[in-house]
Amino acid sequence: MSSNSASLVSLQKSVKQLRKEAGFRRIKVSQAAEDLKKFCLDNAQKDPLLMGVPSSDNPFRPPKSCALL
Amino acid sequence: MASQEESSQPSDTLTTLKTESETLKTKLEEERAKLHDVELHQVAEKIEALGQFVIKTRRTLKGHGNKVLCMDWCKDKRRIVSSSQDGKVIVWDAFTTNKEHAVTMPCTWVMACAYAPSGCAVACGGLDNKCSVYPLSLDKNENLAAKKKSVAMHTNYLSACCFTNSDMQILTSSGDGTCALWDVESGQMLQSFHGHAADVLCLDLAPSETGNTFVSGGCDKKACVWDMRTGQCIQSFETHESDINSVRYYPSGDAFASGSDDATCRLYDLRADREVAIYSKESIIFGASSVDFSFSGRLLFGGYNDYTINVWDVLKGTRMSILFGHENRVSTLRVSPDGTAFCSGSWDNTLRIWA
């Protein structure tokens, strides 16, 4: 008996959630993809792992030469 | 015909609901499919291919006595906090590889750790079912454990934690199937998030410009996007074939990536409300444990259980590189706040900084 009502409550919640998700306003994948692409390209120059940063500017890369004083 | 619906047979209502559930699920898929007019990689065809680039291990952080389970960067882009199976939480200076702080937790398997935005505290937890905050003292001799503050209490293990935009609130996910938002000062639960049908393994907060949402992934193969204010699940995605170990927002906040035991990583666009890319290869058969994007979102780094890190071209869907170095599973991976490097942690007890 109680397992039935537990399943019932769970299903009711699930159906309520599904109804909500059905009302979601979606855009076309082509539009979404264009925006993702634009973001990547607009920010590419500022992406150190993508562009490769000269050793002197990257704190983790060893500098090319050591000055001996 | 029947007058009181509440007094009808439970089995009738159960059946009606089940049918409605199936119908709604089918309708959801149909609606999503209608807008599926192109593949992401098709849109990316005309973009120049990425050239060869060299990413290597630049630092190895040694000091944990057992598997590294989690790590997080400090906003200063040089400090890192990491946690391990042996109960130790260590704060490192990644430039010098020096250990700055070490705390021994009262439990083993510290599966989650996070750096506070101010850089003045760290949060961690695991098999103790709690999330505790340790203020970091400038005095290296001070016993950090003395100032520990217990914040979150779950009824099963803590799988992930993350501060929100301030040191004052923490978001947690747990093996008890829920996520929760806590006030650090009082330890009060501000909001709880119910909807996963099994352990929640990971979470990520949306970039601050995008508003108050976060994404979670779990053993129920679902990724859910939540409204932090109302506790409601806004969207959910169920295309993975196994546990989702890691979720991470795309830098614009319009999408997120996931890594799963089904050996794939996937990209979900929030406005199209669907999966838009799968990053997989027949030769990759081990689970992806953790994922993160490079600064521009063009690269997706995935740490895998076969000890490697795969670097994916997010737009074209192709693999750019495989990074070898770890001698056991890669369990955690995060790109530094300014994108100059990323850090990986492994069951080989070490962390590596790659740049």
Side-chain angles (χ1 to χ4, degrees), chain A residues 11-12 17 19-21 24 26-30 32 34-37 40 47-49 58-61, chain B residues 17 20 28 35 37-38 43 54 58-59 232-233 235-236 250 269 271-274 294 296 339-340:
Chain A
L11 252 183
Q12 279 169 339
Q17 180 63 30
R19 282 192 201 137
K20 242 192 267 171
E21 291 184 23
F24 189 86
R26 299 171 191 88
I27 65 172
K28 284 191 185 166
V29 175
S30 51
E34 277 300 324
D35 291 346
L36 289 174
K37 180 177 106 177
C40 274
D47 186 338
L49 287 168
N58 188 324
F60 291 108
R61 288 194 182 179
Chain B
L17 280 175
E20 189 178 355
L28 199 61
L35 298 164
D37 52 347
V38 82
V43 167
V54 177
R58 304 292 174 173
R59 301 284 191 281
Q232 294 302 307
C233 170
Q235 291 167 273
S236 70
Y250 185 76
D269 188 285
R271 294 174 316 145
D273 187 40
R274 62 170 298 126
S294 70
S296 66
T340 46

Side-chain angles (χ1 to χ4, degrees), chain B residues 11 41 66 73 142 169 293 339:
Chain B
S11 55
H41 63 82
N66 212 321
W73 287 89
E142 186 169 357
Q169 291 181 357
F293 288 99

Side-chain angles (χ1 to χ4, degrees), chain B residues 34-107:
Chain B
K34 276 186 202 164
L35 298 164
H36 189 196
D37 52 347
V38 82
E39 296 295 336
L40 176 61
H41 63 82
Q42 289 172 297
V43 167
E45 253 159 28
K46 302 245 179 72
I47 308 177
E48 235 178 271
L50 293 172
Q52 270 303 336
F53 52 94
V54 177
I55 289 185
K56 286 202 278 200
T57 300
R58 304 292 174 173
R59 301 284 191 281
T60 304
L61 306 180
K62 292 186 185 171
H64 276 295
N66 212 321
K67 308 178 172 68
V68 175
L69 302 176
C70 187
M71 58 81 37
D72 190 19
W73 287 89
C74 177
K75 283 211 158 80
D76 71 1
K77 312 158 222 166
R78 73 183 276 171
R79 281 174 184 78
I80 280 177
V81 61
S82 61
S83 63
S84 162
Q85 184 195 336
D86 66 358
K88 289 256 181 1
V89 174
I90 300 180
V91 175
W92 315 76
D93 176 333
F95 286 2
T96 62
T97 74
N98 288 340
K99 298 177 203 37
E100 298 202 334
H101 301 276
V103 174
T104 306
M105 292 279 286
C107 67

Side-chain angles (χ1 to χ4, degrees), chain B residues 323-334:
Chain B
L323 302 176
F324 298 97
H326 278 297
E327 295 168 9
N328 207 320
R329 290 193 186 192
V330 178
S331 53
T332 179
L333 187 158
R334 301 226 43 176

